[in-house]
């Protein structure tokens, strides 16, 4: 479509502020952004919609317009609500660079302009296929009653002969065509999500083409908007994706534009689901702020009574509660003071935690959300209600286990985090009252720190691990760990290197057998006298006595920290 066609549509309420000579430019798409530098999300020919939140001063306009022009943007439309009008410096910058500029009245929603442009562009470029996109649009705007994304994917199959699925970044299947057979397996979903996240992390533009088990797929990102994830470089970790069983590299431009339009329509469904979580998020934030402020238990309990019916509708008794804490790092190793600034990854961590904690046993058209997630500083914190009866009788839903949370999501998320990125999760024990909630929060935070001290990009720890020496070891400074292990183990390593005496393996087996000479000798296939000789040599080289509990404990810790 041409730019001048936008002015002919009264419902859009656009006013031309500059660029009248450029109105014959072709519009290929639309993008909404308030980023200072949106270049990575531009491919050329877009109408860019902005609320001007990026503008902190007059000099920002020149730089912003330069970026748009360098990326081939067709025109800029600025909302008047944020600054009560379009600033003169932006008008001057657009005139200098010959970029058409429109003003968007505060009564006009950007979504209305987006919908109009997508529909018109698809109609002009795809001819009769525009009817397909229009049908998709009507189904999506009808909401769940109209079938939601599942119906859109069914239409892709019947009208375009394309099998497609909507996946979460964790690999969870969100929607798929009901008529498709065979169904996409959970393993394939996880592999596709991993491929998508790995490609997005490198900065490649979608769609991403991959081949799994001889089948070609094209992966289209479904972006809600990059603003909240831009600071940490982990935007894709909170994006859905559209997986199409086809090689988009062979497609004409018209079909690519159609699929991009479909992703924008599915993004509307994502926004709807996010909006439904707003109340839960607010309740969680209120409760956690009270807990952090050491408010009286009665006040916290009152807020929990409000939260319980929202999270567990129809529950007849007060639930037990469990706390889960998550943190996303996009830079250096966490807890070293070298990572990204506080709070940068919290929105992404919140989105991931909401996704990871979706009830896997839920049935029906939408997943069951039984959680409320807020973020405090650089951590996302989830309040998870557990049915009191199940918790009391040790039912299957009594507690969330840390290992279970990562069972299916570790590989996809590891691919998206890169070499230095990390996701760490801590899980508390269940508590039955407001009095225990503060302790549960601290317990989950400690567990997350234990997880952060482990290797791997994705790691979790539960409250069960806080009653062990593993709680203490991760927080010993590295220089202290090195000095402690060197003092005890270096003499043995050097002796083993020179004499091949296997003193270190002997020490490990002796401690593992609780100092039993017979069991240790049997395990090592040694005579007891040979074992006694080796243990004596260990004691001689280190000046320790392995019959003493204190010395056994020192050796045990040294081996664990080495």
């Amino acid at each position: 479509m041409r730019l001048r066609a936008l002015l002919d549509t009264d419902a859009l309420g656009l006013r031309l502020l500059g660029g009248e000579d450029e109105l014959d430019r072709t519009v290929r798409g639309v993008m909404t952004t308030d980023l200072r530098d949106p270049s990575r999300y531009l491919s050329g020919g877009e109408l860019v919609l902005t609320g001007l939140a990026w503008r902190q001063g007059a000099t920002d306009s020149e730089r912003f317009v330069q970026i748009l022009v360098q990326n081939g943007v067709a025109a800029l439309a600025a909302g008047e609500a944020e600054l009560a009008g379009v600033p003169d410096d932006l008008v001057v910058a657009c005139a200098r660079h010959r970029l058409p500029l429109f003003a968007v009245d505060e009564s006009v929603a950007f979504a209305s302009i987006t919908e109009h442009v997508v529909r018109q562009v698809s109609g002009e470029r795809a001819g009769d296929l525009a009817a397909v996109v229009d049908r998709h649009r009507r189904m999506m705007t009808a909401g769940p009653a109209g079938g939601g994304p599942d119906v859109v994917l069914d239409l892709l199959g019947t009208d375009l002969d394309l099998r497609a699925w909507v996946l979460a970044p964790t690999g969870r299947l969100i929607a798929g065509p009901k008529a498709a057979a065979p169904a996409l397996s959970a393993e394939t979903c996880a592999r596709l999500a991993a491929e998508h996240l790995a490609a997005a992390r490198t900065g490649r533009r979608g769609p991403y083409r991959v081949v799994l088990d001889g089948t070609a797929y094209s992966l289209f990102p479904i972006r809600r908007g990059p603003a909240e994830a831009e600071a940490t470089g982990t935007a894709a970790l909170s994006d859905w994706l559209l997986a199409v069983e086809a090689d988009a590299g062979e497609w004409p431009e018209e079909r690519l534009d159609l699929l991009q339009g479909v992703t924008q329509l599915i993004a509307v469904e994502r926004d709807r689901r996010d909006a439904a979580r707003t109340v839960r998020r607010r309740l969680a934030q209120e409760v956690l702020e009270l807990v952090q402020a050491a408010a009286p238990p009665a006040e916290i309990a009152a807020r929990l009574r409000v939260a319980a019916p929202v999270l567990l509708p129809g529950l007849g008794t007060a639930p037990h509660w469990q706390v889960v804490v998550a943190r996303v790092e996009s830079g250096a190793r966490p807890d070293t003071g070298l990572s990204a600034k506080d709070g940068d990854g919290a929105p992404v961590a919140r989105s991931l935690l909401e996704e990871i904690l979706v009830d896997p046993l839920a049935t029906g058209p939408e997943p069951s959300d039984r959680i409320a997630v807020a973020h405090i500083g650089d951590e996302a914190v989830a309040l998870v209600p557990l049915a009191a009866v199940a918790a009391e009788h040790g039912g299957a839903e009594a507690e969330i286990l840390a290992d279970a949370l990562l069972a299916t999501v570790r590989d996809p998320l590891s691919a998206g985090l890169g070499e230095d990125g990390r996701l760490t999760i801590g899980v508390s024990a269940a508590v039955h009252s407001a009095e225990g909630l503060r302790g549960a929060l601290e317990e989950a935070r400690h567990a997350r720190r234990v997880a952060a001290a482990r290797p791997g990009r994705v790691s979790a720890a539960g409250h069960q691990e806080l009653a062990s020496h593993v709680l203490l070891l991760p927080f010993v400074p590295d220089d202290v760990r090195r000095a402690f292990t060197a003092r005890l183990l270096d003499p043995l390593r050097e002796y083993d290197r020179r004499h091949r005496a296997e003193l270190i393996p002997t020490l490990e087996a002796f401690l593992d057998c609780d100092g039993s000479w017979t069991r240790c000798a049997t395990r090592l296939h040694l005579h007891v006298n040979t074992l006694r000789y080796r243990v004596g040599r260990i004691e001689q080289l280190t000046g320790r006595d392995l019959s003493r509990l204190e010395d056994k404990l020192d050796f045990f810790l040294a081996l664990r920290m080495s």
Side-chain angles (χ1 to χ4, degrees):
M1 68 178 296
R2 304 287 183 180
L3 282 175
R4 64 175 67 255
L6 294 173
L7 291 175
D8 296 335
T9 307
D10 294 337
L12 298 182
L14 297 178
R15 300 194 329 275
L16 183 65
L17 300 182
E20 186 174 0
D21 295 339
E22 307 293 332
L23 292 181
D24 286 329
R25 291 186 182 185
T26 299
V27 179
R28 297 182 60 250
V30 62
M31 176 197 176
T32 301
T33 185
D34 275 314
L35 294 175
R36 293 191 176 192
D37 182 0
S39 56
R40 64 178 293 191
Y41 304 101
L42 298 171
S43 57
E46 294 94 348
L47 170 67
V48 172
L49 306 174
T50 180
L52 300 176
W54 49 266
R55 183 186 178 276
Q56 302 299 314
T59 57
D60 293 338
S61 294
E62 175 69 19
R63 179 176 179 273
F64 185 76
V65 171
Q66 282 182 350
I67 291 172
L68 299 188
V69 172
Q70 290 168 2
N71 286 274
V73 166
L76 174 64
E80 297 183 305
E82 180 76 14
L83 301 178
V86 178
D88 292 340
D89 50 88
L90 182 59
V91 176
V92 171
C94 287
R96 181 182 299 116
H97 294 280
R98 301 177 63 84
L99 180 67
L101 175 64
F102 298 94
V104 183
D105 189 88
E106 61 181 16
S107 64
V108 178
F110 282 178
S112 299
I113 300 175
T114 299
E115 183 181 353
H116 176 82
V117 172
V118 170
R119 187 167 63 251
Q120 294 301 316
V121 168
S122 298
E124 293 178 3
R125 295 198 173 191
D128 60 347
L129 286 179
V132 176
V133 176
D134 192 56
R135 289 171 67 190
H136 295 172
R137 179 188 61 79
R138 292 198 302 271
M139 289 296 181
M140 290 301 297
T141 54
D150 290 300
V151 175
V152 176
L153 301 182
D154 279 330
L155 287 170
L156 282 178
T158 57
D159 291 1
L160 296 180
D161 196 26
L162 291 175
R163 294 195 341 139
W165 300 265
V166 178
L167 306 178
T170 59
R172 180 175 65 88
L173 180 63
I174 295 171
K178 297 180 176 61
L184 207 61
S185 69
E187 179 185 0
T188 301
C189 289
R191 293 173 64 187
L192 288 173
E195 293 283 352
H196 166 257
L197 290 173
R201 179 172 51 82
T202 62
R204 288 164 48 195
R205 293 188 183 276
Y208 315 121
R209 299 190 299 275
V210 300
V211 177
L212 298 183
D213 301 325
T215 301
Y217 297 89
S218 295
L219 310 178
F220 293 79
I222 301 173
R223 302 199 186 282
R224 295 173 294 166
E228 72 176 16
E230 184 232 5
T232 60
T234 53
L237 288 173
S238 58
D239 286 339
W240 288 0
L241 67 135
L242 178 68
V244 181
E245 190 179 271
D247 187 350
E250 303 173 355
W251 287 0
E253 187 176 348
E254 289 79 7
R255 176 162 286 202
L256 282 173
D257 285 346
L258 279 172
L259 266 293
Q260 293 291 358
V262 170
T263 64
Q264 291 182 14
L265 295 177
I266 296 175
V268 174
E269 172 69 6
R270 177 72 186 273
D271 290 339
R272 186 188 66 79
R273 295 191 185 187
D274 272 357
R277 287 172 168 163
T278 301
V279 174
R280 296 186 184 93
R281 290 172 176 173
R282 186 174 67 249
L283 286 170
Q285 198 74 42
E286 291 174 357
V287 171
L288 290 170
E289 287 174 358
L290 289 173
V291 171
Q292 289 246 112
E299 187 175 352
I300 299 174
R303 296 307 302 159
L304 288 177
R305 283 194 295 272
V306 173
V310 176
L311 299 176
L312 288 176
L315 188 67
T317 58
H320 289 192
W321 297 90
Q322 202 166 1
V323 177
V324 182
V325 173
R327 183 177 180 182
V328 170
E329 296 282 341
S330 60
R333 184 181 175 92
D335 301 322
T336 63
L338 301 176
S339 57
K341 64 183 180 180
D342 287 349
D344 276 352
V348 178
R350 181 184 66 188
S351 179
L352 279 178
L353 204 51
E354 287 173 337
E355 173 59 41
I356 291 170
L357 290 170
V358 165
D359 186 358
L361 302 178
T363 58
E366 295 195 35
S368 173
D369 279 335
R370 303 184 306 159
I371 57 170
V373 185
H375 58 78
I376 301 175
D378 55 5
E379 292 178 328
V381 182
L383 291 176
V384 185
L386 308 171
V389 174
E392 291 168 0
H393 294 85
E397 297 180 351
E399 281 199 11
I400 291 174
L401 302 178
D403 291 340
L405 289 179
L406 301 183
T408 59
V409 306
R410 189 187 303 273
D411 290 343
L413 296 183
S414 295
L417 285 162
E419 293 299 326
D420 296 324
R422 300 201 72 203
L423 168 66
T424 52
I425 298 175
V427 183
S428 78
V431 296
H432 67 277
S433 66
E435 288 87 344
L437 207 54
R438 183 177 179 84
L441 176 59
E442 292 305 313
E443 191 173 60
R445 282 176 164 166
H446 281 305
R448 193 204 62 77
R449 294 189 188 102
V450 170
R454 295 172 175 168
R457 298 175 191 171
V458 180
S459 180
H463 61 92
Q464 302 91 338
E465 301 177 61
L466 302 187
S468 168
H469 65 277
V470 297
L471 174 62
L472 303 177
L473 296 186
F475 307 109
V476 177
D478 287 342
D479 55 343
V480 176
R481 293 158 69 102
R482 286 191 295 269
F484 182 74
T485 57
R487 188 177 302 113
L488 280 176
L489 301 183
D490 279 3
L492 307 183
R493 293 190 180 115
E494 178 62 20
Y495 191 87
D496 281 348
R497 186 185 64 80
R498 288 188 287 109
H499 300 284
R500 299 181 180 179
E502 298 188 351
L503 295 185
I504 292 289
T506 300
L507 175 62
E508 291 175 332
F510 186 73
L511 295 175
D512 194 45
C513 292
D514 297 324
S516 169
W517 298 99
T518 302
R519 282 194 289 127
C520 185
T522 301
R523 174 181 295 188
L524 296 176
H525 306 289
L526 297 175
H527 193 279
V528 172
N529 289 340
T530 304
L531 175 62
R532 291 185 183 277
Y533 172 81
R534 289 187 182 180
V535 170
R537 178 62 66 184
I538 292 171
E539 293 174 333
Q540 181 183 22
L541 291 170
T542 61
R544 300 300 184 104
D545 183 354
L546 278 169
S547 65
R548 299 178 67 247
L549 176 62
E550 294 87 345
D551 288 345
K552 286 180 182 177
L553 180 59
D554 283 348
F555 278 122
F556 174 78
L557 293 175
L559 289 169
R560 282 298 182 97
M561 290 190 292
S562 62

